[in-house]
């Protein structure tokens, strides 16, 4: 029986892919929630990039999953006269968001699972108010964030520094070390999954622009934002230019920067830090903290919003 990875974000998919690559020659099962952006396209790319890696790549509509099973069905998932919407194959389960419909499914089925960190060092965050509230005022049959008896293990970036669980439940699994140890072959597979087009061959002195959507934040209209990023790029960026947009940003940057390489907005940012075959000469952003943990550029430039707006005025 292979491992089963349940994913709710593109970061989860990236980590699951690396772990599946490391567990070969055995095959794994990947479960994509429909909240993962462009899940169908991602499924096809996962199967194409590493066809020998998967027993299956499944897509689950969690609204349908929860609609069929109420809290009263906690101990009786399968109805005698109705085929269940979803059945998970055998194998050990890894999940990061056990507060999801798929997490409730695991508890209803009494499936043992390992809770993985949702982001780097999530278990080390001093603010664990959701877990504190649950332990103070438990409600309903489900226990989330690793408190369910079905959760036998909780992974932490550093179990010695994690104080929210006992030592019997915690295990250190460093995702930073995992990504830092990627081989060139593994990086190439990851790029085939997450990049829309192959990278150009000539990237000497490349710059990366990391915009955010001030339009979605209600701070300006689209033409103003377009003019602002064009002005910032003119001052701080040189060719070849790469652009990595925020997942929520739907701006068509290919029209604004026709010669730039547009990296998919659905690509996890960790691909930039750990999976590219080169470093950028400079990375530039406007009023965003995206560069705080960024390691893929020789120089990082933070442009304040006020300065960026002045650049438009000349």
């Amino acid at each position: 029986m292979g491992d089963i990875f349940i994913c709710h974000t593109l970061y989860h998919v990236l980590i699951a892919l690396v772990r599946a690559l490391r567990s070969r020659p055995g095959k794994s099962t990947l479960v994509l929630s429909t909240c993962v952006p462009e899940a169908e396209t991602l499924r096809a790319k996962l199967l194409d990039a590493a066809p020998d890696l998967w027993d299956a790549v499944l897509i689950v509509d969690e609204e349908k999953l929860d609609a069929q099973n109420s809290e009263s069905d906690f101990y009786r998932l399968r109805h005698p006269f109705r085929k269940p919407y979803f059945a998970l194959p055998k194998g050990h389960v890894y999940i990061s968001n056990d507060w999801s419909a798929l997490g409730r499914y695991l508890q209803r089925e009494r499936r043992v699972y390992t809770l993985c960190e949702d982001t780097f060092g999530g278990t080390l965050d001093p603010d664990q108010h959701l877990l504190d509230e649950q332990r103070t005022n438990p409600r309903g049959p489900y226990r989330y964030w690793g408190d369910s008896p079905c959760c036998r293990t909780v992974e932490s970036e550093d179990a010695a520094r994690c104080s929210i669980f006992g030592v019997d439940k915690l295990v250190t699994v460093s995702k930073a070390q995992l990504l830092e140890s990627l081989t060139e072959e593994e990086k190439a597979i990851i790029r085939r999954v997450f990049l829309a087009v192959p990278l150009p061959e000539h990237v000497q002195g490349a710059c990366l622009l990391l915009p955010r959507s001030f339009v979605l934040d209600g701070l300006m209209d689209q033409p103003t934002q377009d003019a602002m990023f064009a002005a910032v790029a003119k001052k701080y960026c040189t060719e070849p230019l790469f652009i990595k947009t925020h997942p929520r940003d739907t701006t068509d940057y290919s029209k604004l920067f026709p010669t730039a390489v547009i990296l998919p907005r659905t690509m996890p940012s960790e691909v930039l830090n750990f999976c590219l075959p080169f470093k950028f000469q400079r990375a530039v952003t406007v009023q965003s903290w995206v560069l705080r943990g960024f390691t893929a550029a020789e120089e990082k430039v933070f442009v304040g919003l006020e300065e960026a707006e002045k650049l438009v005025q000349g």
Side-chain angles (χ1 to χ4, degrees), residues 210-238:
L210 294 146
R212 55 171 275 198
S213 180
F214 295 97
V215 176
L216 287 176
D217 294 337
L219 298 176
M220 62 185 67
D221 58 25
Q222 190 69 52
T224 302
Q225 177 177 288
D226 291 349
M228 182 183 71
F229 282 127
V232 168
K234 182 179 180 180
K235 178 172 182 179
Y236 289 104
C237 300
T238 57

Side-chain angles (χ1 to χ4, degrees), residues 85-292:
Y85 166 69
F86 174 68
L88 197 66
K90 293 182 179 180
H92 187 74
V93 179
Y94 293 85
I95 186 171
S96 295
N97 292 347
D98 66 352
W99 45 263
S100 62
L102 279 159
R104 289 187 285 278
Y105 168 91
L106 295 176
Q107 294 184 40
R108 285 192 293 260
E109 280 281 87
R110 304 184 194 179
R111 289 291 296 269
V112 172
Y113 65 87
T114 292
L115 182 69
C116 309
E117 285 184 304
D118 192 26
T119 56
F120 279 137
T123 60
L124 307 182
D125 193 324
D127 179 9
Q128 300 288 343
H129 65 276
L130 294 173
L131 187 55
D132 293 340
E133 289 169 11
Q134 175 177 260
R135 289 173 176 175
T136 304
N137 298 300
R139 299 174 183 176
Y142 303 113
R143 297 291 179 271
Y144 305 125
W145 307 291
D147 262 2
S148 168
C150 295
C151 177
R152 301 293 173 81
T153 308
V154 176
E155 293 182 351
S156 173
E157 188 70 17
D158 185 352
R161 294 168 53 207
C162 180
S163 60
I164 56 177
F165 293 100
V167 294
D168 57 325
K169 207 165 196 176
L170 282 168
V171 60
T172 295
V173 179
S174 172
K175 305 306 187 300
Q177 291 179 10
L178 182 71
L179 294 173
E180 286 167 356
S181 69
L182 289 171
T183 66
E184 292 306 314
E185 178 189 5
E186 290 168 338
K187 291 178 183 179
I189 291 173
I190 290 168
R191 291 196 295 271
R192 289 203 296 272
V193 170
F194 290 108
L195 292 180
V197 296
L199 295 171
E201 293 183 7
H202 304 290
V203 293
Q204 189 75 20
C207 285
L208 175 68
L209 179 63
L210 294 146
R212 55 171 275 198
S213 180
F214 295 97
V215 176
L216 287 176
D217 294 337
L219 298 176
M220 62 185 67
D221 58 25
Q222 190 69 52
T224 302
Q225 177 177 288
D226 291 349
M228 182 183 71
F229 282 127
V232 168
K234 182 179 180 180
K235 178 172 182 179
Y236 289 104
C237 300
T238 57
E239 297 282 350
L241 175 62
F242 289 71
I243 296 176
K244 170 63 175 77
T245 61
H246 188 278
R248 295 192 303 123
D249 190 354
T250 57
T251 301
D252 186 354
Y253 287 99
S254 64
K255 291 183 178 179
L256 194 59
F257 302 101
T259 62
V261 177
I262 311 299
L263 299 170
R265 65 186 183 91
T266 55
M267 183 185 77
S269 60
E270 288 78 14
V271 172
L272 294 170
N273 281 342
F274 298 103
C275 307
L276 296 187
F278 62 89
K279 267 196 169 187
F280 296 98
Q281 183 66 36
R282 176 183 289 173
V284 182
T285 192
V286 176
Q287 201 64 44
S288 170
W289 299 115
V290 67
L291 293 178
R292 278 192 298 187

Side-chain angles (χ1 to χ4, degrees), residues 46-68:
L46 284 161
L47 291 171
D48 180 64
D52 63 335
L53 205 62
W54 313 107
D55 274 328
V57 178
L58 310 174
I59 298 177
V60 176
D61 186 331
E62 292 192 276
E63 289 188 6
K64 289 183 179 178
L65 183 63
D66 247 3
Q68 182 173 295

